[in-house]
Amino acid sequence: QVQLVESGGGLVQAGGSLRVSCAASGRTFSSVAMGWFRQAPGKEREFVAVISSNGGTTRYTDSVKGRFTISRDNAKNTVYLQMNSLKPEDTAVYYCAAGGFQGLAFFRRYAAAHEYNYWGQGTQVTVSS
């Protein structure tokens, strides 16, 4: 049982930075992988980044590598996505999600939205050109 609430979205100029946060409630936060997905108007939900339950492993979609950084603070039940060098094509609603997979299963499941059990409501990120 995990509830997720995103915050920190907004309007930013191309080349700028933004950090979105996801606050989690529940007793099992430290045992789940946390991912960020995004969905632009008329597009399918897209995997962005994931971090393992203990923070030791991260993965990113190719389009954000070198620009975005995912992190988590299990003591605060919070996961973050630091977004730098933002581009207009990054404009989307950003969702955080929790998945109950770990170990070898992590590498098979992390990029698929349907593998995540809990989702936040999303926060809008708009990057102007």
Side-chain angles (χ1 to χ4, degrees):
Q1 184 175 348
V2 179
Q3 295 183 355
L4 308 172
V5 180
E6 301 95 336
S7 63
L11 175 65
V12 63
Q13 293 182 341
S17 298
L18 201 64
R19 187 181 74 166
V20 290
S21 302
C22 176
S25 63
R27 304 297 186 271
T28 61
F29 177 78
S30 63
S31 298
V32 298
M34 295 294 299
W36 285 97
F37 289 74
R38 64 188 181 186
Q39 189 164 23
K43 303 292 185 179
E44 295 183 351
R45 190 164 297 187
E46 174 191 26
F47 166 76
V48 177
V50 66
I51 187 166
S52 60
S53 58
N54 66 1
T57 303
T58 59
R59 292 289 186 271
Y60 302 88
T61 191
D62 286 345
S63 64
V64 308
K65 287 181 179 177
R67 300 189 298 121
F68 291 11
T69 302
I70 188 171
S71 62
R72 68 190 296 162
D73 186 340
N74 286 353
K76 296 181 178 180
N77 284 359
T78 302
V79 63
Y80 307 93
L81 185 68
Q82 177 67 45
M83 302 180 286
N84 298 327
S85 301
L86 282 161
K87 304 174 181 180
E89 50 262 47
D90 295 318
T91 295
V93 176
Y94 282 71
Y95 299 90
C96 66
F101 47 83
Q102 52 189 301
L104 293 178
F106 176 90
F107 302 97
R108 295 192 296 270
R109 305 181 189 278
Y110 72 83
H114 65 82
E115 297 287 356
Y116 291 77
N117 306 113
Y118 305 98
W119 293 85
Q121 294 298 307
T123 186
Q124 177 71 49
V125 173
T126 302
V127 184
S128 62
S129 60

